[in-house]
Amino acid sequence: MREMEPETELGTHRVENQPPPRGDLSLMETDPALREALSDLGAPRRAALADYAATIGTTGMREAARDANRHAPEAHLFDRAGRRLDEVRFHPAYHAFMRTSCAAGYASVAWEGGAGGHRAHAAMVYLASQVEPGHCCPLTMTYAAVPALAAGGAPFAHWRDKALSRDYDPDPRPIDDKPGVTLGMALTEKQGGSDVRANTTRAERDGAGWRLTGHKWFCSAPMSDAFLTLAQAPGGLTCFLVPRWLEEGRNHIRIARLKDKLGNRSNASAEIEYARALAWQLGEEGDGVRTIVRMIHHTRLDTALAPAGLMRAALCEAHHWVAHRSAFQARLIDQPLMRCLLADLALDLEGSLALGLHVARAFDGMDDAARAFGRIGVALAKFLSNKLCPVVVGEAMEVLGGAGYVEDGPLPMLYREAPLNGIWEGSGNVICLDVLRSLARDPLAGGVLASELDAAAGADPAYDVALSDYRAAWPALPEPAQARAFTEHTALMLSASVLCRGASDAVAGAFVRSRLTDRRGRVPGALPAVDPAPLLARLGG
C-alpha cells in the first residue's frame, strides 16, 4: 500500500529543523564495529546475519516493536465459566518477532554445528536488542537450556531436538504435537532470591517422575513449553524439567499474577505456583545448582551482548538527531562539545561490543583454556557493559531533549530496558563475587586471563603502562569489599586488550587513553583530548 507523505505546511507554522524518518535500516551494513568483529566468521554465517539484520531493521518491524511494547501480554487465568486456563496472550507483533528470530536461528545456530555458532548467536542478540529486546528472553533461555538438557542424557533428546527447531509454535499443546518448543526458567523464590539454596519448593517421587509443590517468585516467559526449575528432593536441591502441557491436558502450574515490570514489557514475567506439577529429574539428585549453572552460564553471554545492542540503538538515534538538527546557527553534529560527548559514549559501546563478541569466541572453543576464559570473561563483560548501559542510553535521550523523553520514539523503551540485564542472571555484587571465586578456585582462569591481557602488549605504549599499573594495583586477589573496583578495572583492561588487537588505532588508542591512562571526569563527555571524527563516523547508521 502506498503511503501518503505527512504534511509540512500546517497553516499555523511550517515543520522544519526536524530529522527525516530513518527508513529501513540494514543494522549490520551500517555497523563497522560489528562487521570488523565478525570479519573472520564464515561467509555463509555473515550473510545470514546480514539478512536477519536487514529484516528486523525495517520500518515495519520497528513499528511492530512499538506495538509489542504498547500492548503488554495479558494473563488469562480462567475461562468465563471459572475453569482454569493459566495462559498468557500476546499481541500479534510479539509473535512476529518470535517467528522471525526463531527462523533465523537465534536459539539454534550455536548448536547446529560448524565454526562460530556462539558468535553468530551473540551477534543476533546484539541485533535483536536494538529493535525489540523483550522477545529475546524466551529465545535466550531456549538457547541456554540446551547444555543443561545434556545432563539428562537420552531421555531429554526429544526436548533438545524440539528446542533446536527453527519453527515457532505458540499454541498450548504437548511437545509431540508441536514442530518446535521454547524453554523457560523458574528459579527464585520470595525468601531467597539469588540464594537458591534457600528454596522451599519440594519434590516428591511419583513413579518415574516427580511432583513439585511450591512457588516461584520470578518465572520469565511463563508461556514457554517447559521450565527448568529447582526443588528440594530427598537428596537435596535438584534440577527438574517441568512441562507446561501434558497429553492429558495442562500441567498443574498456576499463574498467580504477571509482574508489573519497569521495562521488558512485550515479554511476560510471572509469579507461579506448582500444585503437584509433574516434573522430570534433570541431572543427579542433589546436584541442582551445578546442573542449572550450565544454563545460567550461557544466558550470561546474552546479558553481556544485549546492553551493547541497547547502547548502539540509542546512540544511532542520537547521532541521527544531531546530524539533522540545528541550534544557535549551527548543526548540532558540528558543535565541539556535542562531538566530544558522543565520541565518549561511542567508546563505551565499542568496548562492550568488542569484549562481548570476544568472549563469545571462547564459547565456541573446545579446549580447557577456552572454557576457563569463557567462565571468567563472561562475568567481566556482563558486569561492565551493564553498568555502562543505563548511563549511555540516558545521555542519548538527553541529546534529543524533550523529544527523547516521549514515547513517540524508541528511547523511553531503551531506557526502561537498560537496567534489566544487570539484574537478570546475577546482579552486580553477585557477579563481582563470582569473579573472585572463579579466579580463586580455578587455577586455569587466572592464567588465561593474564594471557589475554598480555596478548596486547606492545601494541600501544599507553596500554603497556596501564597493564603495569594494573598489576601493581592488584598483586593478589582483593578482599570482597574491593570486588567491584577489581572487576571494573579488570574488565576495562580486557576490553582495551581486545580493542588493541582488533580495532583501528583511532578507536583503541582513544579507549586506552580515556579509560586507563589519562585523567577523565566521572560524567560522559568530561574527556581528555580525543579526535571524535573516526568515532562518530561509526555511528552513521
Side-chain angles (χ1 to χ4, degrees), residues 84-244:
R84 291 215 65 124
L85 292 174
D86 291 296
E87 295 179 11
V88 182
R89 297 176 187 171
F90 299 83
H91 189 273
Y94 174 86
H95 293 300
F97 274 98
M98 289 290 290
R99 191 171 297 108
T100 298
S101 294
C102 271
Y106 183 117
S108 58
V109 67
W111 313 110
E112 292 172 339
H118 287 281
R119 262 202 301 163
H121 163 78
M124 294 181 74
V125 176
Y126 168 74
L127 291 165
S129 297
Q130 295 179 44
V131 183
E132 205 301 288
H135 83 289
C136 294
C137 177
L139 295 180
T140 284
M141 290 190 294
T142 303
Y143 150 77
V146 172
L149 291 174
F156 292 89
H158 191 37
W159 281 99
R160 181 184 186 278
D161 292 344
K162 291 295 179 83
L164 295 182
S165 169
R166 293 193 177 203
D167 292 322
Y168 172 60
D169 182 354
D171 290 344
R173 295 184 292 170
I175 180 176
D176 289 338
D177 297 337
K178 304 185 72 164
V181 300
T182 59
L183 301 173
M185 183 192 300
L187 298 186
T188 59
E189 299 181 3
K190 295 183 180 77
Q191 71 284 351
S194 297
D195 182 8
V196 295
R197 295 188 184 279
N199 285 5
T200 59
T201 297
R202 64 184 186 276
E204 300 170 294
R205 275 282 187 190
D206 184 7
W210 295 78
R211 295 286 175 177
L212 305 190
T213 303
H215 83 281
K216 294 296 173 181
W217 188 228
F218 270 93
C219 173
S220 292
M223 283 305 288
S224 299
D225 295 285
F227 308 112
L228 270 68
T229 197
L230 295 178
Q232 299 287 355
L237 194 64
T238 303
C239 187
F240 296 92
L241 179 77
V242 189
R244 192 78 178 83

Side-chain angles (χ1 to χ4, degrees), residues 355-400:
L355 179 55
L357 289 176
H358 186 66
V359 170
R361 183 190 295 270
F363 277 60
D364 284 313
M366 302 299 292
D367 59 20
D368 290 342
R371 285 190 284 269
F373 178 66
R375 287 191 295 273
I376 187 67
V378 77
L380 293 167
K382 170 178 160 50
F383 177 76
L384 184 60
S385 61
N386 281 292
K387 292 307 171 191
L388 297 173
C389 184
V391 177
V392 170
V393 176
E395 289 284 352
M397 177 184 288
E398 189 174 327
V399 166
L400 275 68

Side-chain angles (χ1 to χ4, degrees), residues 174-461:
I175 180 176
D176 289 338
D177 297 337
K178 304 185 72 164
V181 300
T182 59
L183 301 173
M185 183 192 300
L187 298 186
T188 59
E189 299 181 3
K190 295 183 180 77
Q191 71 284 351
S194 297
D195 182 8
V196 295
R197 295 188 184 279
N199 285 5
T200 59
T201 297
R202 64 184 186 276
E204 300 170 294
R205 275 282 187 190
D206 184 7
W210 295 78
R211 295 286 175 177
L212 305 190
T213 303
H215 83 281
K216 294 296 173 181
W217 188 228
F218 270 93
C219 173
S220 292
M223 283 305 288
S224 299
D225 295 285
F227 308 112
L228 270 68
T229 197
L230 295 178
Q232 299 287 355
L237 194 64
T238 303
C239 187
F240 296 92
L241 179 77
V242 189
R244 192 78 178 83
W245 324 106
L246 306 173
E247 288 297 331
E248 58 272 24
R250 290 168 169 78
N251 202 356
H252 300 292
I253 304 172
R254 307 304 189 204
I255 296 176
R257 62 171 176 166
L258 297 186
K259 294 288 192 181
D260 187 8
K261 297 174 295 184
L262 169 67
N264 206 240
R265 291 182 175 178
S266 68
N267 173 53
S269 298
E271 298 171 27
I272 65 170
E273 295 177 347
Y274 296 134
R276 289 188 52 79
L278 179 65
W280 306 102
Q281 182 179 326
L282 188 58
E284 296 297 321
E285 189 173 344
D287 203 26
V289 172
R290 190 189 305 271
T291 303
I292 203 69
V293 160
R294 299 185 186 197
M295 184 176 185
I296 293 172
H297 176 57
H298 287 81
T299 55
R300 280 186 177 175
L301 177 64
D302 290 23
T303 60
L305 267 301
L310 300 175
M311 287 188 271
R312 171 75 187 180
L315 288 177
C316 285
E317 286 289 328
H319 184 271
H320 182 71
W321 177 267
V322 300
H324 296 90
R325 179 88 166 169
S326 296
F328 307 109
Q329 293 76 52
R331 283 197 317 158
L332 291 177
I333 190 63
D334 296 327
Q335 302 278 12
L337 185 55
M338 180 64 74
R339 294 174 66 79
C340 181
L341 170 64
L342 290 180
D344 196 9
L345 298 173
L347 286 171
D348 285 336
L349 166 60
E350 294 275 358
S352 295
L353 178 60
L355 179 55
L357 289 176
H358 186 66
V359 170
R361 183 190 295 270
F363 277 60
D364 284 313
M366 302 299 292
D367 59 20
D368 290 342
R371 285 190 284 269
F373 178 66
R375 287 191 295 273
I376 187 67
V378 77
L380 293 167
K382 170 178 160 50
F383 177 76
L384 184 60
S385 61
N386 281 292
K387 292 307 171 191
L388 297 173
C389 184
V391 177
V392 170
V393 176
E395 289 284 352
M397 177 184 288
E398 189 174 327
V399 166
L400 275 68
Y405 199 67
V406 297
E407 298 286 350
D408 292 339
L411 280 164
M413 181 274 286
L414 296 170
Y415 191 67
R416 288 191 295 269
E417 198 76 18
L420 172 64
N421 293 282
I423 297 170
W424 191 32
E425 304 302 38
S427 57
N429 283 359
V430 171
I431 295 297
C432 291
L433 295 173
D434 278 355
V435 167
L436 296 190
R437 278 192 293 269
S438 293
L439 291 171
R441 295 177 181 177
D442 184 355
L444 197 53
V448 295
L449 179 58
S451 296
E452 285 284 342
L453 298 180
D454 287 336
D460 183 330

